[in-house]
Amino acid sequence: DTGVSQNPRHKITKRGQNVTFRCDPISEHNRLYWYRQTLGQGPEFLTYFQNEAQLEKSRLLSDRFSAERPKGSFSTLEIQRTEQGDSAMYLCASSSTPGQSSYEQYFGPGTRLTVT
Amino acid sequence: AQSVTQLDSQVPVFEEAPVELRCNYSSSVSVYLFWYVQYPNQGLQLLLKYLSGSTLVKGINGFEAEFNKSQTSFHLRKPSVHISDTAEYFCAVSPGYSSASKIIFGSGTRLSIRP
């Protein structure tokens, strides 16, 4: 198992452009999470999927953000009409269905977005 | 709702000295508690977790933490630090039931080890 992978690792875009990030979770994990981390802060929850169903979205996730997990495997996070305030590290994590003996989210390396 | 407060944004320590990183949480329900470490330019790695049972939890790399329900704290300790422990440490909380989803993170404590 190679862990959670994210692509691209870095993305520089101009304000107003659309960007899409991809996350490949650990293969047997049915839960997938997206977080955003800005400089000097801890990660903030954005949304999560159980299989292909998006079960929760944070109020941080504006209408310009959309996430999908069409076949319950990989996920994409799209940001439309990017703004400078979107500059951050976008982290993906995956887990099996939580249970007391195994609850852990495994994080990917993140995609660093810079909006100029 | 849950929240996490990490009381120190930076902790400088000499190599081989002990260290304690402080964490307090707030929650109206029972919680799961975590400490994650983030090395420079790397993703988050779980150090240890408290789900239930013994309040003293041992993790990787010689770290341990103690859950104190009355003080709503989950402080991280290591008896002797190494240069390689230089990193950002995040305390985190999640609702303590099996359908729990998101983890709420603190703002982090930067541990810097001086030789």
Side-chain angles (χ1 to χ4, degrees):
Chain A
D1 193 343
T2 56
V4 179
S5 62
Q6 293 186 244
N7 288 287
R9 293 292 307 275
H10 302 274
K11 178 72 177 178
I12 300 175
T13 191
K14 292 185 177 180
R15 186 164 51 105
Q17 297 295 304
N18 299 344
V19 294
T20 300
F21 310 140
R22 176 176 170 131
C23 171
D24 287 89
I26 293 171
S27 57
E28 62 267 28
H29 284 174
N30 58 0
R31 286 198 171 188
L32 186 148
Y33 312 80
W34 286 100
Y35 292 83
R36 180 172 68 188
Q37 185 178 20
T38 53
L39 206 60
Q41 298 297 317
E44 297 173 294
F45 171 80
L46 293 179
T47 187
Y48 94 97
F49 294 83
Q50 179 150 317
N51 301 313
E52 64 276 9
Q54 189 173 16
L55 297 187
E56 187 173 351
K57 291 171 61 173
S58 163
R59 282 172 288 182
L60 291 174
L61 215 63
S62 76
D63 291 345
R64 297 183 297 106
F65 288 71
S66 62
E68 295 182 342
R69 195 184 182 197
K71 297 183 180 178
S73 57
F74 72 91
S75 175
T76 57
L77 178 68
E78 181 183 17
I79 309 174
Q80 295 183 326
R81 305 180 304 281
T82 53
E83 302 173 356
Q84 287 189 323
D86 297 331
S87 295
M89 178 76 85
Y90 289 84
L91 298 168
C92 177
S94 70
S95 74
S96 53
T97 302
Q100 279 205 350
S101 62
S102 63
Y103 184 56
E104 179 176 347
Q105 293 185 17
Y106 294 81
F107 283 80
T111 294
R112 182 169 295 284
L113 173 66
T114 302
V115 182
T116 62
Chain B
Q2 292 75 42
S3 66
V4 178
T5 302
Q6 291 186 243
L7 299 163
D8 306 294
S9 60
Q10 295 187 58
V11 173
V13 184
F14 285 106
E15 194 173 16
E16 298 184 6
V19 69
E20 177 179 82
L21 305 184
R22 297 180 293 167
C23 172
N24 286 91
Y25 70 92
S26 172
S27 177
S28 57
V29 300
S30 63
V31 294
Y32 298 150
L33 293 157
F34 310 87
W35 275 98
Y36 280 84
V37 60
Q38 189 172 35
Y39 299 103
N41 300 315
Q42 295 188 28
L44 290 159
Q45 180 182 4
L46 183 68
L47 270 180
L48 48 78
K49 61 188 177 188
Y50 170 79
L51 303 182
S52 66
S54 172
T55 57
L56 184 62
V57 180
K58 293 189 183 298
I60 61 172
N61 301 340
F63 284 92
E64 64 180 32
E66 186 157 18
F67 170 55
N68 187 319
K69 188 175 181 180
S70 63
Q71 297 187 3
T72 61
S73 68
F74 191 55
H75 301 332
L76 180 71
R77 301 184 184 99
K78 187 171 182 178
S80 175
V81 297
H82 302 277
I83 291 284
S84 58
D85 293 323
T86 297
E88 188 94 20
Y89 292 79
F90 294 96
C91 181
V93 64
S94 176
Y97 45 85
S98 61
S99 60
S101 56
K102 62 188 176 186
I103 293 178
I104 308 299
F105 287 86
S107 55
T109 297
R110 184 170 300 277
L111 179 62
S112 58
I113 312 298
R114 301 169 174 174

